[in-house]
Amino acid sequence: MSVESGAPPPIVIRRWAPDGPTVFLLAVAILGFAAFTAPQYDPDFWWHLRVGLDILASGVPLHNAYTFTAATHPFITQEWGSEVIYALLYRALGMDPVILLMALVTWVGLVFGVMRANRQGLSRWILALGAALVVISGLQIWGPSPQMFTFGFLGILLVLLDAYRRRPSRWLLAWLVPLFVVWGNLHGGFLIGLGVIAVFLVGELISSWLGDEHSLESRRLFDLGLGLVLSALAAMVNPNGLALYLYPLHLLLSPVAQANLNEWQPPDFHALASLPVLALLLSTILVARWARHTRPADLLLALAGTALLLYAVRNIPIFAILVLPLWTDGLQGLADHVRTARRMAPRHRRRPAPRWFVGAVLLIVVLTSAVRISAQLSSADNYLEGSVYPVQVGKVICEGPPARVFAPYGSSGWLLYRLDHRDPAGRDCAPDQLFIFGEVDLMGPKVLKQYLRAVSAAPGTMAILSHYQVSLVWQGRADPLTRLLQNQPGWMCVFANKESVLYASPGHSGGWHAPRSDCPA
């Protein structure tokens, strides 16, 4: 790949011309919003909601009141802003506005990312195809999750940095401070934003070292470095202060979390869901040599995005938006190379498409998007009592005596909200606590290791349950721990259905009135 030494290509907002590629690009933008409108399928949402309601009721929690295993462990609410937004919207209007808000935030990130990749001489067909590939690559990630705030803010940050590169101004850098104040209170991914600024700064230093006459001057580079420092300080304007940096660092450096949480593992390129991002990665490598307008900073950002992708599957959207300018530049360079090699005639100016055709296409796209959005909003995943959740199990635990519950990791977040005293049906649930829930770093690596040992029924499992005085175990019927408890003296099955079993520990089986006929033999 060659790096052009000329001035950085400006972001281009071209005049509306309803030709084929423009209509395609607009259709991708509309369908992208529909793709971002995904059901709430992440069980972590419910514990985020529980924490948000608690913050509205009594302020930001400093101690872990949700588990009996790690009550003294520091409780860093690094996403407290997102949790409060969720609580306010859900309490007032239900799940739909939460889903639509996060779809809008994600869409903003896409739009700004596409704007950054746009430049004079770039075919809108290529730009639209790149935008579509970004949307398709992240289908397994999009959804109403706090990490979408990072995607949206990253798009804004990249446009700010490109604008500063074209026309250096301290006023542009001044926007970094409020950006990171808000970002640092919504999601821990602000660290990625700080990393992007640092990589961008290094890239501009390389341009200056290479003698690029259009590179930033020394004092402008100093201002950018100062902006990085101020952004890092701005992120600490939150209830946790400096401790905000500890949570993501602990999680990133936790070998237990990395080895056992799917979203923190590298993408499985053998899986069908990973084929789009694999296609984006391989095609970027293939066309990079024809990129002619990619500056060192953009190349380094693409490499950083690739490193993030190979580190964890949750970083797919970050990779896609960081690599998009290189991908579009390389593909355009390849198209120009083929045209020159074949001595093809220059492209003629396209005629605008008939208005009736543009209207018909956009109407079909809008209707298709509306149908998908309606279906996603009505999904059972979006409701506390939806069929995708173990409603019977939650009802039994809620209405039973107080218990220390050992629950499946994937359902702990849902159960944590289900046990909240602010039950939507007006019932007061027992003051149960859980062994563990989705915020693994708040448990500490020791508790996570013990949970993994117990759930696999490894040697020492009964000692772990006894040490923490677990009084109720909820597992699947065929799980190893279920089979172990079947043969333990004193442990009694107090409820069972086709999927799940509840076992009460010795001395805690009284007070359970659920039918026991389905208990394992």
Side-chain angles (χ1 to χ4, degrees), residues 114 170 198 238 246 308 351 358 371 426 455 466:
V114 172
R170 289 182 177 177
N238 69 84
L246 300 180
L308 289 172
R351 295 180 180 179
V358 174
V371 170
V455 81
S466 175

Side-chain angles (χ1 to χ4, degrees), residues 318-466:
I318 306 299
F319 158 76
I321 212 67
L322 288 178
V323 84
L324 182 61
L326 175 61
W327 186 88
T328 54
D329 186 23
L331 191 57
Q332 183 65 65
L334 175 60
D336 293 341
H337 172 76
V338 171
R339 186 176 295 106
T340 301
R342 295 186 177 182
R343 299 180 181 179
M344 298 172 63
R347 291 173 295 178
H348 296 289
R349 184 178 179 181
R350 296 185 180 90
R351 295 180 180 179
R355 292 184 178 181
W356 67 266
F357 174 78
V358 174
V361 170
L362 294 183
L363 179 61
I364 293 173
V365 170
V366 169
L367 291 177
T368 302
S369 300
V371 170
R372 174 184 164 81
I373 291 172
S374 176
Q376 302 295 64
L377 292 178
S378 61
S379 170
D381 286 359
N382 301 327
Y383 302 97
L384 180 67
E385 300 292 352
S387 60
V388 294
Y389 293 106
V391 178
Q392 284 183 292
V393 177
K395 186 173 185 294
V396 170
I397 296 176
C398 179
E399 297 178 349
R404 290 188 166 196
V405 185
F406 185 99
Y409 181 83
S411 298
S412 293
W414 171 81
L415 184 60
L416 188 64
Y417 179 78
R418 184 67 178 80
L419 296 175
D420 188 2
H421 65 279
R422 293 176 290 268
D423 184 80
R427 299 184 299 270
D428 288 331
C429 294
D432 304 68
Q433 287 183 315
L434 303 182
F435 189 101
I436 197 171
F437 70 104
E439 198 72 313
V440 293
D441 187 65
L442 300 182
M443 311 293 105
K446 177 182 176 182
V447 172
L448 181 56
K449 287 181 180 178
Q450 291 176 325
Y451 175 85
L452 294 171
R453 286 183 61 83
V455 81
S456 63
T461 293
M462 300 311 300
I464 293 173
L465 298 181
S466 175

Side-chain angles (χ1 to χ4, degrees), residues 245-258 264 311 441 445:
Y245 284 91
L246 300 180
Y247 172 84
L249 289 177
H250 286 167
L251 186 59
L252 291 174
L253 298 176
S254 172
V256 182
Q258 302 297 320
W264 286 104
Y311 181 76
D441 187 65

Side-chain angles (χ1 to χ4, degrees), residues 82-236:
S82 299
E83 291 159 350
V84 168
I85 292 173
Y86 286 175
L88 288 171
L89 291 176
Y90 186 82
R91 186 171 62 181
L93 300 169
M95 185 67 74
D96 289 359
V98 176
I99 294 176
L100 292 174
L101 171 65
M102 299 315 298
L104 178 61
V105 169
T106 309
W107 188 79
V108 167
L110 173 70
V111 170
F112 275 86
V114 172
M115 285 174 56
R116 175 174 174 259
N118 198 10
R119 62 172 179 81
Q120 290 288 357
L122 178 65
S123 167
R124 273 207 179 111
W125 283 116
I126 292 177
L127 189 62
L129 183 60
L133 199 50
V134 171
V135 174
I136 297 172
S137 296
L139 286 178
Q140 57 182 310
I141 306 296
W142 310 129
S145 168
Q147 73 184 80
M148 292 301 105
F149 280 114
T150 286
F151 183 77
F153 281 117
L154 181 60
I156 297 172
L157 173 62
L158 290 169
V159 170
L160 276 175
L161 292 176
D162 279 358
Y164 179 77
R165 180 166 57 186
R166 296 193 313 276
R167 295 181 181 177
S169 167
R170 289 182 177 177
W171 288 107
L172 279 173
L173 292 181
W175 284 101
L176 294 178
V177 173
L179 180 72
F180 276 89
V181 168
V182 178
W183 196 346
N185 285 281
L186 292 176
H187 188 250
F190 73 91
L191 281 177
I192 293 178
L194 295 176
V196 163
I197 298 176
V199 171
F200 185 89
L201 177 59
V202 171
E204 289 304 308
L205 285 170
I206 292 175
S207 293
S208 178
W209 178 72
L210 291 175
D212 183 355
E213 60 179 323
H214 297 286
S215 62
L216 292 174
E217 300 175 359
S218 298
R219 63 189 182 93
R220 299 302 185 183
L221 292 171
F222 176 82
D223 289 345
L224 184 56
L226 180 61
L228 173 59
V229 173
L230 292 177
S231 298
L233 294 175
M236 292 192 290

